[in-house]
Amino acid sequence: MLRRHLLLGFAGLAAMSAAAPVAAQETVKVGLIATLTGPQAASGRQKVAGAKLYMALNGNMVAGKKIELIIKDDTGVADITRRHAQELIVNDKVAAISGFSLTPLALAVAPVITQAKIPAIIMTAGTSIITERSPYFVRVSFTLPQQSVPIAEWIAKNGAKTAVSLVSDYGPGIDAQDAFKMRFEEKGGKVLEQLKAPLANPEFSAFLQRAKDLKPDALFLFVPAPTAGSLMKQVIDRGLIEANIKVVGTGDITDDDQLNGIGDSVLGLVTSHFYSAAHDSPMNKKFVEEFKKANPGMRPNFIGVGGYDGMHAFYQALEKTKGDTDGTKLVEAMKGMSFESPRGMLTIDPATRDVVQDVYIRKVEKKDGELYNIEFDVVKQVKDPIHK
Ligand code: DHB
């Protein structure tokens, strides 16, 4: 009896090993390093929701391999981002990492990915220089100069002769205000002062009072999206909108995730950005509907779209390499990639690995009882104007 069992056991084992190449499905792991706690947590929540939605709608099989997403919370601290990147690469053997809310978090992984030759797909961070810091960075989000130049042109064309800028004092803020100043002054305007508020302490009232006292025609603003609610409340409380100062900015300040919470005082406010939940395309309508269904109470913003498109870029790359997970081949496969996103068409510039896309000029309006950024003009297929 025992012997028969053993024999059966061996037969079973033999059958299993014969079937192994088919049965043992190879798994390809992708790391997603998001900021899920702390002041920037809204960013991670969107990114994870976007990436998961992409997988839910497109399945988890690519080129015959099963995709597994490993999510890590970096709490917004660069050392933790770097440690997660190292562990994902060394212990989990991921084929790629992705995520990165704040610019310093992306910069922290540059040496790690360069040494390991593993691609890192940037889903949010927007400082121009990032993609130059490693040949393994590929960006599907945006750059601040790419967004700031179109609004500088728009406000100059719409009668502003003087402006003040106020931004968060770190990479993307500096990029945003420098690009704004460059184009606004090229168009004959004058930037009276470039104000910078500390990133860690979202207390803007002294800076806003200074901006008000300078009596500019326009005030240009940038803060990372999760800080938009607190900035805009202070803009309203300080009476800048009533003071006849035309408040403009990149779309980070009227982020779709926060806009309803900011309230009707910002009706009519004009910003430039690559994504609006109100973007009028069949693909975006479906994306917004599915996103809301999967995440009750949430509305997608540009960070959610970054998560969604970042997964798409990885899927497409793995499809192109026919399942080969070599990091250098995956980056090569992403260069020059072009696809429709909920935002519109985007292309990964093969020379810079940075995103080229339409930038929309939008105005806050009420639609079906909710505030939206309604697109009314577009600058087609904009490259980062600084690091071309
Ligand atoms: C960055 C972060 C954001 O949340 C944002 O809206 C724009 C830029 C950044 O740190 O690069």
Side-chain angles (χ1 to χ4, degrees), residues 314-332:
F314 181 78
Y315 271 41
Q316 291 283 98
L318 194 63
E319 202 69 76
K320 264 198 192 166
T321 65
K322 299 191 169 51
D324 189 337
T325 54
D326 177 82
T328 308
K329 289 183 187 159
L330 286 171
V331 170
E332 284 304 313

Side-chain angles (χ1 to χ4, degrees), residues 40 43 101-104 124-127 130 142 144 170-172 222-226 252 273 302-303:
Q40 301 290 322
S43 174
S101 325
L102 295 174
T103 286
T124 310
T127 304
I130 297 173
F142 68 132
L144 268 306
Y170 77 123
F222 162 81
V223 290
D252 308 78
H273 221 224
F302 69 96
I303 298 172

Side-chain angles (χ1 to χ4, degrees), residues 17-276:
S17 66
V22 186
Q25 224 160 41
E26 212 183 308
T27 298
V28 172
K29 295 177 184 169
V30 179
L32 171 51
I33 310 176
T35 299
L36 290 161
T37 47
Q40 301 290 322
S43 174
R45 197 178 60 209
Q46 281 277 342
K47 206 170 316 184
V48 167
K52 282 188 170 172
L53 180 64
Y54 185 83
M55 293 184 75
L57 296 179
N58 294 279
N60 61 357
M61 294 298 295
V62 180
K65 303 201 171 171
K66 188 174 168 219
I67 309 296
E68 185 190 333
L69 190 66
I70 304 177
I71 298 166
K72 301 281 182 190
D73 177 13
D74 66 12
T75 74
V77 175
D79 281 343
I80 302 179
T81 317
R82 189 190 302 109
R83 203 186 67 223
H84 280 319
Q86 279 161 342
E87 287 175 3
L88 285 163
I89 292 169
V90 174
N91 301 343
D92 297 302
K93 314 245 178 307
V94 294
I97 56 174
S98 63
F100 317 111
S101 325
L102 295 174
T103 286
L105 312 179
L107 292 177
V109 305
V112 179
I113 60 168
T114 304
Q115 199 198 3
K117 298 186 172 22
I118 293 288
I121 302 171
I122 300 165
M123 294 168 161
T124 310
T127 304
S128 283
I129 197 86
I130 297 173
T131 43
E132 292 182 16
R133 291 291 167 87
S134 169
Y136 288 87
F137 275 133
V138 175
R139 177 152 44 196
V140 298
S141 53
F142 68 132
T143 78
L144 268 306
Q146 179 186 55
Q147 312 299 314
S148 306
V149 161
I151 194 69
E153 279 180 6
W154 186 85
I155 194 72
K157 207 162 56 188
N158 284 274
K161 299 270 181 275
T162 58
V164 169
S165 59
L166 168 59
V167 301
S168 293
D169 190 6
Y170 77 123
I174 309 299
D175 266 8
Q177 70 175 190
D178 285 351
F180 177 84
K181 180 178 162 80
M182 177 194 73
R183 189 54 55 91
F184 187 65
E185 297 197 338
E186 271 172 24
K187 295 285 173 191
K190 175 86 192 125
V191 172
L192 304 175
E193 211 158 297
Q194 293 182 302
L195 303 168
K196 296 190 283 279
L199 173 65
N201 174 19
E203 179 45 64
F204 300 103
S205 41
F207 299 99
L208 290 169
Q209 190 56 49
R210 172 76 187 147
K212 196 175 174 186
D213 292 346
L214 286 163
K215 297 190 170 30
D217 297 329
L219 172 64
F220 169 80
L221 300 170
F222 162 81
V223 290
T227 312
S230 85
L231 170 69
M232 294 316 290
K233 287 213 169 75
Q234 293 173 55
V235 168
I236 296 161
D237 290 350
R238 283 269 144 194
L240 275 108
I241 295 170
E242 289 98 81
N244 249 341
I245 297 170
K246 195 107 173 126
V247 178
V248 293
T250 60
D252 308 78
I253 66 163
T254 54
D255 158 37
D256 287 302
D257 206 8
Q258 316 236 345
L259 189 52
N260 282 314
I262 294 170
D264 289 358
S265 309
V266 292
L267 275 166
L269 198 141
V270 176
T271 56
S272 54
H273 221 224
F274 66 95
Y275 179 70
S276 164

